[in-house]
Amino acid sequence: MRFGGSLPSIRDSAVGLCLLVTGWASSLTAQTSIHATLGARYSSTLVHDSIVTPLDVRADLAPAFTGTVDLPLAGRWKLELLADLSSSPLRRHDRGGFTAPITRVWTLGVAVGLRRRLTSWLEGRGAIGGLKYFPAASVGVFSSGSGGVIPFGSLAFDAAPEMLSRRRLAVEVGGDLHRFLTPALRNAGFTESRVVYRVTAGVRLDIRRAP
């Protein structure tokens, strides 16, 4: 009684499988698009408190960089993987107009989403992921660290009229939401996280555009 196939048939099957996988991977890579977006980001208040007079803690207008990779799905849909980085000074704002710097803070977000072409010149994207704050110094609201990774959701639109599309450019406008609460704020008596929204406008460059 013989078990299995002959050595040549096994070898031929293995070679065929390797060629099939390689061809599929090459085809997928050929349809992948890569984008980079540079813009400016406004962030809403992170902390509102009233010690003697009301005060807010919020980040300054920040440069923001986003890198995305699009993978083809059915029809006009694409799967999008993105990484987002921004950095700005964090300041205390008193009601009288006085401001005081606290520290510089970086934010890093990683997300997965769906992109869809809405018209010949407009695309939309929705994504969910995790956001992490990285303060330059452990002071103020970050005196006990920044806490863990925060869930966030984002929505963006890219407009690329023919004049911009020929140059592989698009205007991107987007926003995201997350909740903010650090260990230091909990220790100070804050029991509920604060909803923070960020609005970003910038220019997207198509580094690689799928056929």
Side-chain angles (χ1 to χ4, degrees), residues 85 87 103-109 131-137 142 146:
L85 179 68
S87 174
T103 186
R104 174 169 286 275
V105 65
W106 285 264
T107 60
L108 174 64
L131 181 71
K132 176 71 175 176
Y133 281 82
F134 296 95
F142 297 112
S146 60

Side-chain angles (χ1 to χ4, degrees), residues 3 50 81 111 124 161 167:
F3 295 90
S50 181
L81 309 176
R167 295 170 172 79

Side-chain angles (χ1 to χ4, degrees), residues 24-105:
W24 175 80
S26 299
S27 175
L28 184 61
T29 301
Q31 298 178 63
T32 299
S33 300
I34 302 175
H35 317 285
T37 303
L38 183 62
R41 172 170 290 152
Y42 167 81
S43 296
S44 66
T45 298
L46 298 178
V47 181
H48 176 77
D49 195 13
S50 181
I51 302 174
V52 177
T53 59
L55 63 89
D56 293 330
V57 175
R58 63 177 179 267
D60 289 355
L61 192 67
F65 174 80
T66 305
T68 60
V69 176
D70 295 342
L71 304 174
L73 295 175
R76 296 185 176 186
W77 292 95
K78 294 181 180 179
L79 176 68
E80 185 160 273
L81 309 176
L82 66 92
D84 178 278
L85 179 68
S86 64
S87 174
S88 67
L90 192 68
R91 299 182 189 274
R92 166 180 167 167
H93 297 257
D94 292 339
R95 171 173 287 184
F98 174 78
T99 64
I102 299 175
T103 186
R104 174 169 286 275
V105 65

